[in-house]
Amino acid sequence: MGSLSPVTFRRLLKACLGVAALGATALGIAYVIPLPGRLTAGPSRVVYFRDGSPAYVTLSQDEKWRIPVVLGEVDSRYVGALIEIEDKRFWWHPGFDPFAIVRAAAQNFSAGDVVSGASTLTMQLARMLESRPRTLGSKLIEVLRAVQLELCFSKQEILQAYLTFVPYGRNIEGIEAASIAYFGHRADALSATEIATLLAVPQDPNARYPTPRHEKVLCSARNAILSRIEESGAWAWPSTPAARLALQAVPEGLRPFPREAPHAAQWLLGQDPFASRIYTTLDPVIQRFATGVFQRARPTLASRGIFNGSGVIANHATGAVAALVGNFGFLEDKHGAQIIGFDVPRSPGSLLKPFFYAAAIDRGVALPETLVTDIPVRYGSYEPENYDEDFHGLVRLEEALSWSLNVPFVNLLRQLGVEPMLGLFQTLGVQSLRTEPGYYGLSAAIGGVEITPLEIAGLYATLAHEGYYHPLLVLRDPAENTSDGSEHRGFSAFSEGAAYLTRKTLSLRDRSDFPGKREFSATPPSIHWKTGTSFGHRDAWAAGSGPAYTAVVWLGNFDNAPSNELVGADAAGPILFDLLEGLVSAEDFNYRDLAPPDLEMIEVCAYSGQIPTEACLHTTHALARTVSVPTRPCQFHVRREIDLDTGLALGPLCLDGCRHAPEIFLRWPTGVRRWLKDQYRTLPEPPSFAAECRKPSSEGRPAIVSPPPGHVIFLLRGRPVTEQEIPLEAEGAAGVQLSWFVDGKFLGHALPDERLWWAPTPGKHLILAQNEMGESDSQWVEVREDLSITRK
């Protein structure tokens, strides 16, 4: 090959310089001129069910249905067909296809009209992003924009943007949105006719999108594409020939975009305002089932003055939330329909009692069989009452929970400590509680706090999951291909034994809060539950679990309007059982909740449920934790040596010279005797010791119970002091009289099962109670005038 002539060399040099100039110009365009603004247009935001199907889709900021596309989530056969039909050389051209331009020019020149185009997918994307009239100048700008896009983005990114912005008629853009609107499912798995339809519409979207008047045009265009794909042989086609596929109907109209679980969706979208895709643990089947249960109950509830309700269903073994019902009628403009109920703190009524019960077992305070008192009590100015405004005297702790008595659990919380228990709830995900020390009192045991239904679900899921806590999960990571929450570590909040004994009590069917019109035998034995009603009938609750799922139901009115129908057992209970029974399989009827290994049988007094003494003639066995067995001996049975001549009790030093024999007596707490005496009822008491046998002992030492320690008494101005007397009460030995003193001045005598009344005066006072053996108890109280109250 000879050397180049100077002329040829100069021409070649000019050509290279021209190409370089064009390249420099292209680079300048790419990196100096801003990219089309629509590239950053906000898409529709989508909330997905755990199976990947869309639950809720919003309009984009520019009022489009445009769901962001991930290339790997689009059916690969559609992508292959798109490139085969629209841009065969897409993967190597620089944004425009020179061969296509030459071919189109020749065809158009030969026909004398525009019969073929040369737009690449990149050029089409440029046209989608910037609408211009169809002129030669516009085509040149599209070429320049296409080159710019190719320089700034990878081929995969360009294809992904194309699939996001490609028009499908009306305000629908993108393959994902079109697939949902046309066929009701995502674009990850498409049939042959669906692929052909989605290829045909963008060629003339306003004349082909599904509607009855476009049916013939769309069908003809789709069938033509089916034939082209079959003829090309570019990729595997179904065994069914295109001629037969063409007989299938095209979609007749657009389907509405999903708007399921609207409250949950809005709640999640609000938590992350920049996320366009939110993947949840919500189960589509369970979510629709729960929504249906609430909707069916709505008319009856509305007729009873109940207009709001919410529910939560969670898999307690994994922590994955399966359903969230936020309220009734999201689109309505009354009754606060858009308030997200499952995230609103409300008074839980009695729903926290099972956790005090479990904590008492864990700490060795009591067992289910332990007798506790249910009598009027006063803690300062707080006097709790039971829901039925009646008292039962002595009940077993399991009966107190089963009957949902208030006073025993106020007393129990006093033993456990308000701050420790509420602190435990906070570690169990309850973030609605105030953190100021001393903010809550003993009323927390019966609803004096506010907790959301979602937080209640976390507590009951812990109880159902053997006392093991891990956070409830509503969001999942699609990359990890899991929604079970197993990667989130938790901790043991209650022992397996305490959780089991609590569930066992909550499984009892013969209860006042068992939903009416249901047969015990028709209800799965694995279900355990608790209902609650807030003070003033403003909240009705029911919470419980089956073998796999925990459910919570709240009913009420967001304007705080009360209703006598807002009773947990009657209003919320039936809905809870509808939910739990609907989630139970046939195999679950054979499920049995077995005692865990950390429980063992111990001997207890058959009457009191406490550790038996020699005075307990009858004993039984009860399950208790091996590491926290209650150690308090039975307080109800006493053994006395009785003087057969006088009938008085004798001590060890008084037995000589007397005819005596041992006898066993029941000794009831002083408070119970006092309560019965107020109702003109009495209990038999052990005989008193003979005078010469009395001696100081811890058994009969006085203990002041009213007023309580540290009590501050406020006197109402303008009201006589005689109308504001304070009861003085103390525990002590039966039949042993107490002498009461205030500031050293004798006030009067009273037996332990009696009370004395004192008319207080402003100031600090020392109150003292002393028995006949000189044993005493004392405490200071402060009396103030309430200056905030004046007499009218």
Side-chain angles (χ1 to χ4, degrees):
M1 180 180 293
S3 61
L4 296 175
S5 67
V7 175
T8 303
F9 178 78
R10 285 195 297 270
R11 288 177 179 175
L12 182 59
L13 180 61
K14 288 181 180 180
C16 292
L17 291 174
V19 171
L22 286 174
T25 303
L27 287 173
I29 292 173
Y31 296 112
V32 176
I33 297 177
L35 289 165
R38 276 198 82 209
L39 270 175
T40 58
S44 296
R45 306 180 68 196
V46 188
V47 176
Y48 293 95
F49 286 119
R50 78 172 187 178
D51 64 356
S53 62
Y56 193 92
V57 182
T58 72
L59 279 167
S60 65
Q61 293 178 349
D62 55 352
E63 300 295 314
K64 305 285 187 181
W65 297 108
R66 182 174 58 246
I67 298 174
V69 172
V70 175
L71 187 58
E73 295 178 3
V74 177
D75 193 317
S76 60
R77 298 181 307 158
Y78 167 85
V79 176
L82 172 68
I83 293 175
E84 174 67 23
I85 291 174
E86 295 290 341
D87 192 356
K88 292 182 179 181
R89 287 171 285 275
F90 169 76
W91 294 110
W92 67 263
H93 66 60
F96 61 94
D97 186 349
F99 296 101
I101 293 174
V102 172
R103 173 188 50 76
Q107 291 178 350
N108 294 338
F109 179 78
S110 177
D113 195 5
V114 178
V115 296
S116 177
S119 292
T120 63
L121 289 178
T122 315
M123 292 170 64
Q124 292 180 43
L125 173 61
R127 185 165 60 247
M128 297 171 198
L129 297 175
E130 293 178 318
S131 179
R132 291 185 177 85
R134 304 295 291 273
T135 65
L136 185 59
S138 296
K139 183 68 69 173
L140 180 59
I141 294 175
E142 286 175 12
V143 170
L144 294 175
R145 279 296 198 190
V147 173
Q148 181 187 30
L149 292 171
E150 293 280 351
L151 289 170
C152 293
F153 301 103
S154 68
K155 287 290 188 179
Q156 288 78 9
E157 290 172 329
I158 290 171
L159 186 56
Q160 188 164 280
Y162 176 92
L163 295 176
T164 298
F165 286 96
V166 60
Y168 277 96
R170 303 188 67 171
N171 64 338
I172 300 173
E173 292 184 348
I175 181 69
E176 184 80 352
S179 183
I180 293 172
Y182 289 12
F183 313 116
H185 61 76
R186 298 185 62 188
D188 55 349
L190 300 167
S191 69
T193 55
E194 289 172 344
I195 289 173
T197 301
L198 293 170
L199 289 171
V201 173
Q203 294 176 351
D204 193 356
N206 290 328
R208 293 182 182 178
Y209 72 84
T211 181
R213 69 177 183 273
H214 296 163
E215 182 178 0
K216 290 184 179 179
V217 175
L218 176 57
C219 186
S220 176
R222 182 206 63 182
N223 294 346
I225 289 179
L226 281 171
S227 298
R228 285 185 62 185
I229 295 175
E230 185 179 44
E231 292 170 1
S232 70
W235 50 280
W237 189 250
S239 57
T240 305
R244 290 183 56 187
L245 292 172
L247 299 176
Q248 297 182 18
V250 295
E252 296 181 354
L254 300 176
R255 301 167 184 256
F257 282 86
R259 287 295 179 97
E260 298 186 74
H263 297 89
Q266 291 298 323
W267 179 64
L268 291 168
L269 291 169
Q271 291 183 16
D272 190 351
F274 301 105
S276 59
R277 289 174 162 229
I278 295 179
Y279 297 92
T280 76
T281 62
L282 299 179
D283 184 297
V285 175
I286 296 177
Q287 178 68 45
R288 291 161 191 156
F289 162 67
T291 300
V293 169
F294 273 84
Q295 289 300 329
R296 286 190 292 273
R298 185 184 184 186
T300 301
L301 294 173
S303 68
R304 299 162 68 180
I306 304 171
F307 298 104
N308 300 111
S310 65
V312 180
I313 297 176
N315 184 317
H316 48 247
T318 66
V321 175
L324 289 171
V325 178
N327 209 335
F328 296 120
F330 180 77
L331 297 179
E332 297 176 6
D333 58 357
K334 57 183 178 180
H335 302 305
Q338 295 186 4
I339 295 176
I340 301 167
F342 58 76
D343 194 39
V344 176
R346 305 288 299 193
S347 167
S350 298
L351 288 192
L352 298 183
K353 290 176 181 175
F355 305 98
F356 304 134
Y357 186 92
I361 295 171
D362 265 339
R363 300 182 190 181
V365 172
L367 294 174
E369 295 80 6
T370 302
L371 275 183
V372 295
T373 59
D374 179 35
I375 58 176
V377 293
R378 176 187 298 185
Y379 294 104
S381 59
Y382 178 51
E383 298 183 62
E385 292 183 344
N386 291 319
Y387 180 77
D388 60 4
E389 299 181 352
D390 197 6
F391 298 93
H392 301 77
L394 288 170
V395 296
R396 300 195 184 280
L397 186 59
E398 65 180 358
E399 294 171 333
L401 179 58
S402 181
W403 301 343
S404 198
L405 302 179
N406 289 341
V407 174
F409 281 93
V410 172
N411 295 336
L412 188 60
L413 181 55
R414 182 170 181 256
Q415 288 180 269
L416 298 171
V418 175
E419 297 298 330
M421 286 305 302
L422 297 186
L424 173 61
F425 291 146
Q426 288 174 327
T427 64
L428 298 181
V430 178
Q431 301 302 314
S432 300
L433 297 176
R434 301 282 291 268
T435 56
E436 302 94 308
Y439 183 85
Y440 298 104
L442 294 174
S443 64
I446 56 176
V449 296
E450 291 188 336
I451 302 182
T452 70
L454 194 57
E455 292 167 341
I456 289 290
L459 295 178
Y460 275 81
T462 299
L463 191 65
H465 191 42
E466 309 298 342
Y468 188 85
Y469 166 78
H470 48 66
L472 292 187
L473 299 175
V474 183
L475 299 176
R476 65 180 180 87
D477 184 352
E480 296 182 4
N481 194 29
T482 179
S483 62
D484 63 6
S486 59
E487 71 278 8
H488 292 264
R489 300 295 180 183
F491 60 89
S492 180
F494 302 99
S495 69
E496 291 185 30
Y500 167 80
L501 292 174
T502 305
R503 294 195 305 271
K504 183 179 177 183
T505 300
L506 294 179
S507 297
L508 298 175
R509 296 296 192 261
D510 191 13
R511 291 157 48 181
S512 60
D513 62 347
F514 186 84
K517 300 181 181 179
R518 271 183 165 85
E519 295 292 334
F520 292 166
S521 59
T523 303
S526 54
I527 289 178
H528 60 270
W529 81 100
K530 182 76 184 73
T531 61
T533 305
S534 70
F535 179 78
H537 293 274
R538 287 180 169 82
D539 306 272
W541 293 83
S545 304
Y549 291 96
T550 292
V552 174
V553 175
W554 171 85
L555 299 174
N557 295 305
F558 283 128
D559 62 0
N560 281 325
S563 170
N564 289 333
E565 302 289 341
L566 276 170
V567 177
D570 299 331
I575 298 177
L576 176 74
F577 270 74
D578 285 344
L579 294 174
L580 291 179
E581 290 178 0
L583 296 169
V584 170
S585 64
E587 293 79 10
D588 291 330
F589 275 84
N590 299 321
Y591 174 85
R592 291 295 181 270
D593 198 359
L594 302 178
D598 65 336
L599 293 178
E600 67 175 11
M601 284 290 182
I602 65 167
E603 188 178 33
V604 296
C605 173
Y607 179 77
S608 68
Q610 297 172 334
I611 300 302
T613 67
E614 62 176 7
C616 298
L617 300 181
H618 302 285
T619 61
T620 187
H621 289 86
L623 285 170
R625 290 194 65 214
T626 56
V627 296
S628 58
V629 175
T631 58
R632 185 179 184 184
C634 177
Q635 306 291 305
F636 290 85
H637 292 100
V638 292
R639 185 178 184 275
R640 295 277 189 266
E641 291 290 336
I642 302 301
D643 189 324
L644 299 180
D645 296 321
T646 65
L648 296 176
L650 301 174
L653 302 179
C654 303
L655 299 178
D656 293 344
C658 297
R659 296 187 311 118
H660 58 87
E663 290 189 32
I664 302 297
F665 299 94
L666 265 176
R667 179 182 59 191
W668 286 271
T670 304
V672 174
R673 297 200 307 270
R674 186 185 303 116
W675 170 66
L676 289 172
K677 200 166 189 176
D678 290 342
Q679 301 180 66
Y680 306 102
R681 296 159 60 191
T682 59
L683 289 172
E685 299 177 6
S688 301
F689 281 93
E692 63 273 17
C693 293
R694 294 179 181 175
K695 65 174 184 176
S697 67
S698 60
E699 182 181 288
R701 185 179 297 277
I704 297 175
V705 295
S706 176
H711 184 44
V712 178
I713 301 167
F714 288 92
L715 296 178
L716 302 181
R717 295 182 62 187
R719 180 175 295 179
V721 174
T722 54
E723 296 180 7
Q724 303 184 63
E725 292 182 323
I726 302 299
L728 303 181
E729 302 171 0
E731 300 284 346
V736 178
Q737 198 171 60
L738 299 176
S739 299
W740 288 88
F741 301 85
V742 177
D743 298 329
K745 182 179 179 181
F746 175 71
L747 188 66
H749 295 292
L751 292 172
D753 57 3
E754 298 174 335
R755 62 171 58 90
L756 206 62
W757 293 89
W758 166 54
T761 58
K764 290 188 176 180
H765 303 277
L766 179 64
I767 298 177
L768 182 141
Q770 181 174 296
N771 63 18
E772 298 171 6
M773 284 76 75
E775 300 169 314
S776 65
D777 185 29
S778 63
Q779 63 186 43
W780 287 92
V781 297
E782 184 178 356
V783 180
R784 301 176 186 172
E785 282 192 295
D786 191 347
L787 301 179
S788 65
I789 301 177
T790 57
R791 188 174 183 179
K792 293 183 178 180

